[in-house]
Amino acid sequence: MKVRNTGSTAPITGASAVQVGNAYRKADAAATRPVAEPEDVATVMGIPESELTPKVRQAIQQLMVEVYELRQELDAAKQRVGYLEQLADQDTLAPVLNRRAFIRELSRMSAFAERYGAAGSVLYFDVNGMKQINDGHGHAAGDAALKRVAEVLLKHTRASDIVGRLGGDEFGVILAQSDEASASAKAEKLAQAIAVQQIDWNGTSLSLSAAYGVHPLSADQKVDEALDAADRAMYANKRETARD
């Protein structure tokens, strides 16, 4: 489950606008569907044909129009609720889950691992050098760097995996059906994919890199403890890399 990116906020753009537009086009299509004939409705309701006077027929016709209009409004409301739920889960900067949604999905994955004994792991990434980028090139450059990291993580993970921004320059990845060994290998590949990135910012090429930590999910460990363990593993990796 991955997220790719609002009432008096910024206008809805891009893929989000398409989503909303499609939702309302579906609702419009529902409104143009043919309304059932009064005779058909009368048959279903058991109204004798002799009682189907012009006034009864007109009343049934109006009732069916109102039913379809209510269905249209309900469909549009469901689409809107789903869209708002997606927005509530999405990070404000990058096209990935925010911390709250990531923790929720981590809880689900842990419960799945407990129930079915399925392997799963959480990765913790910390983007290196963000202070230097922000101080030297401005926070807009820092935002561009974080977005690029999010894009790399999304591109190199499966649809069943979950990517989230945990805050600041930290990202998390939940790998389904991955034990610690395979998760460590995947984390190394993701770090390498980040390290080859170059951002051209006002004529300056900005390099990226990230430290990572890996922790396998287990049935007897709380979610916050698992995430904290992955965080500690990341800092251990960062210190070891610094010594090298």
Side-chain angles (χ1 to χ4, degrees), residues 194-210:
I194 293 172
V196 299
Q197 299 298 309
Q198 294 286 330
I199 297 179
D200 183 14
W201 190 260
N202 296 330
T204 300
S205 182
L206 305 179
S207 299
L208 298 176
S209 66

Side-chain angles (χ1 to χ4, degrees), residues 6-46:
T6 20
S8 57
T9 55
I12 302 171
T13 59
S16 297
V18 173
Q19 272 189 319
V20 174
N22 286 340
Y24 286 104
R25 280 195 289 274
K26 289 178 181 178
D28 291 340
T32 58
R33 287 179 295 184
V35 178
E37 292 296 330
E39 291 80 1
D40 296 334
V41 176
T43 300
V44 173
M45 297 177 64

Side-chain angles (χ1 to χ4, degrees), residues 113-214:
E114 180 178 2
R115 175 173 296 184
Y116 300 104
S121 299
V122 58
L123 314 182
Y124 204 111
F125 288 89
D126 182 84
V127 184
N128 298 320
M130 286 303 302
K131 186 178 188 303
Q132 290 80 355
I133 292 177
N134 286 327
D135 291 348
H137 304 279
H139 286 279
D143 289 349
L146 294 176
K147 290 178 182 177
R148 178 67 64 83
V149 170
E151 291 167 358
V152 170
L153 294 177
L154 288 172
K155 180 179 179 181
H156 292 85
T157 51
R158 303 164 298 181
S160 58
D161 299 329
I162 298 165
V163 179
R165 182 175 172 224
L166 303 177
D169 53 6
E170 298 175 336
F171 291 83
V173 178
I174 303 172
L175 298 178
Q177 302 295 328
S178 295
D179 57 20
E180 187 172 9
S182 59
S184 296
K186 183 62 176 180
E188 175 64 25
K189 290 181 180 179
L190 290 173
Q192 291 174 356
I194 293 172
V196 299
Q197 299 298 309
Q198 294 286 330
I199 297 179
D200 183 14
W201 190 260
N202 296 330
T204 300
S205 182
L206 305 179
S207 299
L208 298 176
S209 66
Y212 65 85
V214 179

